[in-house]
Amino acid sequence: MKELSRIAQAVQASTTMAIDAMFKQMKADGIDVIGFGAGEPDFNTPDAIKQAGIEAIQNNFTRYTPAAGTVELRQAVCDRMKADCGLDYKPSQVVVSSGAKHLVYLALRALVNPGDEIILPAPFWVSYIELIRMVGGVPVVVTATEAEHFKLTAEKLEAAITPKTKAIILNNPSNPTGMTYSREELEAIAAVCLKHEVYVISDEIYYGLVYDGMEFTSFAALSPEVKDLTILINGVSKSYAMTGWRIGYACANDTIAKVMANYVSHSTGSPVAISQKAAVVALNAPQDEVEAMRQSFEERRNYIVERMNSIPGVSCIKPEGAFYVMMNLEKLIGKTIHGVEITNDDVFADAFLKYGLVAVVPGSGFGAPNFVRWSYATSIENIKEGLDRLEKFLAE
């Protein structure tokens, strides 16, 4: 047989999905495990949104739509971005596709020529680095430490830029850290991007989940010049508990949006028609249920952070958004727990799953060695039990 694609063979499996798969297999085998792996709200999709999907089926809204999404949905995106972020987009500048992840891929496809460098702040969502490689780009990882609250500084960004730099991927609020950039921090980064004409793929899928009264600032809202360089990525998965509906959207200038729309028309074609009808209702309806979910996540965050920092040997800083917390393992490295020498985060996660019956995600896949990510998108009862098991696991 002839050789398979070297690019395709180099793509690594998602560590978050691998952990989740192991957890689900153990669960299916009747083992009493608790999972803190996958980033998926445990809430059900609100009833009004579900009803819109049912009505779409009953009304036979089950055929192809325009490749970039219905005008109705793209207008709903424009209206929501205006209301929430103060952004003015036209429906022609919106591309809807099968989830935000696919739109990050489409954005990279629109921007990247083979050999172009894409700056990737670490810790990063596991898929970003693979998506960059999949389009022939070169990831340039710039690490932000816990002491820096896992946030890229303008100085580090400036130092990483070369003549080959094409874009930066910025995830705000962040998966896996939950940290959220202030307007001032974004303005400093934007100044560097404008100076060097660097595009910004701003993944803001968690924008509806920020805490402590913090005001979210969209990168594209900083100025008209910044907006022109920005491809804003968002969707309905996280804020509306619609992960399985697979609807994400991107907003960009006319030229970029057209290129992305052309690309999607020849790859997946239109997003699911039924899901688009449901997404219209999600975006247009009063956002009370979104706020109720946000408040629940904030309560869970408060508990998990306080409790985790009370357990000897581990610690975390307080995330400002999303539904993740990064647990620092540095004090455990070199120690032996349940007969296992903890040499790194992967070994810890494996031992914790086997002997503590708790699934967390190793930080190595996020570019954050000696950390593990906990998702608090689960019930407070599970969070309490999971931390009880952590305490017991570390004590033995």
Side-chain angles (χ1 to χ4, degrees), residues 2 19 41 52 55-56 80 101 114 120 148 171 183 236 246 251 254 259 287 306 323 329 335 352 362 367 372 384:
K2 290 187 176 181
I19 288 290
E55 289 176 3
R80 179 52 50 201
K101 183 187 290 191
L120 184 60
E148 296 169 315
N171 185 201
R183 185 179 188 91
V236 299
R246 308 312 304 135
C251 305
D254 292 286
V259 171
Q287 304 293 291
E306 183 178 356
F323 38 65
L329 304 176
K335 293 192 173 183
F352 194 25
V372 292
K384 289 176 179 177

Side-chain angles (χ1 to χ4, degrees), residues 110-188:
L111 298 178
V112 176
N113 291 311
D116 284 348
E117 293 178 353
I118 309 298
I119 293 174
L120 184 60
F124 49 77
W125 180 44
V126 291
S127 290
Y128 291 145
I129 197 163
E130 301 300 335
L131 290 167
I132 293 167
R133 291 168 176 155
M134 284 164 66
V135 301
V138 178
V140 177
V141 176
V142 181
T143 300
T145 66
E146 185 182 46
E148 296 169 315
H149 279 213
F150 299 122
K151 290 193 260 190
L152 178 71
T153 63
E155 292 74 23
K156 282 191 172 182
L157 173 60
E158 179 81 50
I161 291 175
T162 75
K164 292 184 178 181
T165 303
K166 178 63 72 71
I168 175 176
I169 297 179
L170 197 66
N171 185 201
N172 182 41
S174 164
N175 175 6
T177 69
M179 303 314 291
T180 305
Y181 289 84
S182 68
R183 185 179 188 91
E184 293 71 27
E185 290 166 335
L186 293 176
E187 286 173 338

Side-chain angles (χ1 to χ4, degrees), residues 99-389:
K101 183 187 290 191
H102 188 228
L103 285 154
V104 174
Y105 175 74
L106 292 174
L108 289 165
R109 273 289 176 206
L111 298 178
V112 176
N113 291 311
D116 284 348
E117 293 178 353
I118 309 298
I119 293 174
L120 184 60
F124 49 77
W125 180 44
V126 291
S127 290
Y128 291 145
I129 197 163
E130 301 300 335
L131 290 167
I132 293 167
R133 291 168 176 155
M134 284 164 66
V135 301
V138 178
V140 177
V141 176
V142 181
T143 300
T145 66
E146 185 182 46
E148 296 169 315
H149 279 213
F150 299 122
K151 290 193 260 190
L152 178 71
T153 63
E155 292 74 23
K156 282 191 172 182
L157 173 60
E158 179 81 50
I161 291 175
T162 75
K164 292 184 178 181
T165 303
K166 178 63 72 71
I168 175 176
I169 297 179
L170 197 66
N171 185 201
N172 182 41
S174 164
N175 175 6
T177 69
M179 303 314 291
T180 305
Y181 289 84
S182 68
R183 185 179 188 91
E184 293 71 27
E185 290 166 335
L186 293 176
E187 286 173 338
I189 291 170
V192 177
C193 294
L194 286 170
K195 175 183 174 183
H196 296 280
E197 296 185 326
V198 172
Y199 290 104
V200 180
I201 300 172
S202 186
D203 185 348
E204 300 175 3
I205 189 69
Y206 295 98
Y207 87 111
L209 300 174
V210 294
Y211 311 121
D212 302 319
M214 186 175 185
E215 183 177 344
F216 173 80
T217 300
S218 174
F219 198 85
L222 295 176
S223 73
E225 295 77 18
V226 171
K227 181 185 173 189
D228 200 47
L229 281 176
T230 302
I231 303 176
L232 189 160
I233 308 291
N234 214 316
V236 299
S237 294
K238 310 300 183 180
S239 294
Y240 302 96
M242 293 178 69
T243 52
W245 295 80
R246 308 312 304 135
I247 294 291
Y249 54 85
C251 305
N253 69 42
D254 292 286
T255 302
I256 294 173
K258 184 176 180 180
V259 171
M260 291 176 68
N262 287 342
Y263 204 94
V264 76
S265 73
H266 291 292
S267 52
T268 60
S270 64
V272 176
I274 298 156
S275 296
Q276 290 188 68
K277 280 291 188 183
V280 168
V281 170
L283 294 168
N284 284 343
Q287 304 293 291
D288 299 351
E289 292 188 70
V290 175
E291 173 59 15
M293 287 188 276
R294 190 203 64 79
Q295 289 178 12
S296 291
F297 284 130
E298 185 166 7
E299 290 168 6
R300 296 172 185 182
R301 180 210 58 167
N302 292 343
Y303 178 84
I304 198 171
V305 168
E306 183 178 356
R307 178 80 188 281
M308 191 173 284
N309 281 318
S310 73
I311 298 174
V314 296
S315 64
C316 67
I317 59 174
K318 195 174 192 178
E320 300 153 329
F323 38 65
Y324 308 104
V325 63
M326 294 291 276
M327 186 172 79
N328 189 322
L329 304 176
E330 289 176 357
K331 291 181 180 177
L332 300 180
I333 302 302
K335 293 192 173 183
T336 298
I337 304 173
H338 288 273
V340 178
E341 184 184 357
I342 307 299
T343 53
N344 56 44
D345 51 284
D346 293 283
V347 171
F348 174 87
D350 184 69
F352 194 25
L353 183 56
K354 286 179 180 175
Y355 302 108
L357 300 181
V358 175
V360 294
V361 186
S364 55
F366 302 114
N370 297 337
F371 287 85
V372 292
R373 189 193 76 176
W374 293 61
S375 167
Y376 50 90
T378 186
S379 70
I380 193 70
E381 290 77 20
N382 278 348
I383 292 170
K384 289 176 179 177
E385 176 63 22
L387 290 165
D388 285 347
R389 293 184 184 190

